[in-house]
Amino acid sequence: MYHKTLKNNAKILAIAPMMDWTDRHCRAFHRALTRHGLLYTEMVTTGAVIHGDRQHLLGFSDIEHPIACQLGGSDPKDMAEAARIVQDFGYDEVNINVGCPSDRVQSGRFGACLMTEPDLVAACVAAMKAAVDIPVTVKCRIGVDDQDPEEALDRMADAVFGAGSDALWVHARKAWLQGLSPKQNRDIPPLDHDRVVRLKQRLPEKFIGLNGGLQTLDQAQPCLDTLDGVMFGRAAYHTPQILGAVDRRLYGTGEPDVSPWEAVRAHLAYLDGQLSGGVRLGHMTRHMLGLFHGRPGARSWRRILTVDAIKPGAGLEVVEQALAAVSPVNAELAAAE
């Protein structure tokens, strides 16, 4: 198992790195729902890590373990230096972004455009492996533009595993660098989960994880019959209550599922500590809006957190008020009507 913190588990569920979403407050909230799922940071560039405000970019709470930091870059020397910084901050893994299709990322020569340069990605892996003791992993697409996904993914996998990569997470879509926006690239290129399965069948001893299109645990569990891990993206963000069953269903902990109400109660201490440190409530609760999706009172929950949490001086009383709107008692009454 490539994660020492998860060495007794054969499979991993991860929550994907998502720009503007998976910041430290989002991750702490997700940790209230699953104790074992692997959390990822937003992508941070090597230049920002090396020269920027590291505490702001990389700081996290101890409760977030196991946690991986995703780096964007393509210079092996810089990637190695940034990886050392990441390790010194206490992260459990450092990951290379070979999947983001945005114009800004392309102009910096990293992200999905690196699918055309597997040897360069391998050089980054090798430099990082020489610099750190934590796992070094890669997250990529199945190809870009007119690439043949059979050839492109095999070349990338062989290159990075040959350089010592501990795992390869594959977003099972092509990225179209010309003609599609980053948002369109998340939906329009068709999913091809079977391509990732074929890669695993060819490389049975390597850790291969699947990202892309997974909406529920029912969808994810069959994938783990063949693959080593599954990664949830937007589903984990928009319907985070699905994470409450992860530890029981995917990690076999034998513990009861975490209900949305229990997750909020468990998260209050974190919110209180951050409020005391000057963080505004709305910066944290924006990640909690979808928690009660599909349940009675969900609209009131979202409205209260959207309107009242951003007011100056807003505190835990706003969360308590929102929670009361979706209390189990209220849900039972609504269901009986």
Side-chain angles (χ1 to χ4, degrees):
M1 190 65 246
Y2 80 84
H3 264 284
K4 62 182 180 181
T5 52
L6 300 173
K7 61 186 177 183
N8 295 323
N9 295 291
K11 309 291 182 176
I12 287 180
L13 180 132
I15 299 171
M18 292 177 280
M19 292 300 293
D20 299 321
W21 286 1
T22 51
D23 64 17
R24 61 184 304 172
H25 306 306
C26 177
R27 298 190 305 264
F29 168 54
H30 286 166
R31 185 57 75 217
L33 287 153
T34 169
R35 293 194 301 112
H36 298 287
L38 175 61
L39 305 179
Y40 274 78
T41 68
E42 303 168 89
M43 182 195 70
V44 289
T45 65
T46 53
V49 169
I50 295 169
H51 304 293
D53 183 343
R54 295 174 186 173
Q55 186 57 47
H56 173 71
L57 291 167
L58 298 177
F60 67 95
S61 304
D62 285 343
I63 62 172
E64 295 175 49
H65 289 292
I67 179 172
C69 178
Q70 187 182 69
L71 291 177
S74 59
D75 179 88
K77 179 175 178 291
D78 288 348
M79 292 292 279
E81 182 176 353
R84 279 193 293 267
I85 295 168
V86 166
Q87 177 173 266
D88 289 345
F89 262 79
Y91 281 88
D92 300 299
E93 172 191 328
V94 59
N95 176 269
I96 304 173
N97 184 321
V98 189
C100 181
S102 77
D103 292 340
R104 181 177 68 85
V105 166
Q106 290 180 59
S107 66
R109 200 187 177 195
F110 56 93
C113 64
L114 288 176
M115 286 298 299
T116 65
E117 300 187 77
D119 291 340
L120 178 58
V121 180
C124 291
V125 170
M128 294 162 72
K129 288 292 291 183
V132 300
D133 298 319
I134 58 175
V136 175
T137 67
V138 175
K139 184 172 184 287
C140 71
R141 295 281 186 135
I142 61 173
V144 294
D145 298 334
D146 293 325
Q147 282 186 320
D148 178 354
E150 298 298 323
E151 178 185 353
L153 186 57
D154 278 352
R155 287 184 61 214
M156 180 59 67
D158 290 344
V160 300
F161 282 128
S165 179
D166 293 282
L168 181 65
W169 290 94
V170 184
H171 185 164
R173 299 181 195 270
K174 268 191 172 185
W176 287 93
L177 304 181
Q178 305 296 326
L180 293 181
S181 69
K183 182 177 185 299
Q184 290 171 320
N185 263 300
R186 292 193 293 268
D187 295 302
I188 292 177
L191 284 165
D192 190 353
H193 289 180
D194 289 343
R195 176 65 190 97
V196 185
V197 170
R198 289 195 298 277
L199 178 66
K200 176 61 182 177
Q201 291 169 339
R202 190 174 72 82
L203 301 172
E205 302 304 315
K206 302 299 185 182
F207 184 102
I208 308 290
L210 173 70
N211 173 225
L214 297 175
Q215 299 295 317
T216 67
L217 293 183
D218 286 341
Q219 280 184 317
Q221 272 189 295
C223 299
L224 294 176
D225 292 339
T226 307
L227 300 166
D228 302 297
V230 290
M231 182 177 278
F232 279 87
R234 285 169 288 170
Y237 192 85
H238 291 307
T239 55
Q241 62 182 278
I242 65 175
L243 300 177
V246 163
D247 293 351
R248 174 183 62 83
R249 291 185 58 177
L250 299 187
Y251 287 91
T253 62
E255 300 169 359
D257 295 350
V258 179
S259 75
W261 296 274
E262 291 168 333
V264 175
R265 290 291 177 195
H267 193 48
L268 288 176
Y270 174 85
L271 296 176
D272 191 39
Q274 294 293 312
L275 286 168
S276 299
V279 178
R280 297 187 64 172
L281 184 66
H283 290 167
M284 299 181 282
T285 55
R286 71 186 182 96
H287 302 301
M288 303 168 65
L289 298 181
L291 180 60
F292 292 94
H293 177 78
R295 296 178 182 267
R299 182 177 298 177
S300 296
W301 164 264
R302 292 192 303 269
R303 176 181 54 77
I304 293 168
L305 292 187
T306 300
V307 175
D308 295 336
I310 64 173
K311 294 178 179 178
L316 294 185
E317 72 282 349
V318 174
V319 182
E320 295 281 7
Q321 179 188 356
L323 195 60
V326 288
S327 74
V329 173
N330 288 346
E332 291 171 6
L333 289 174
E337 291 177 353

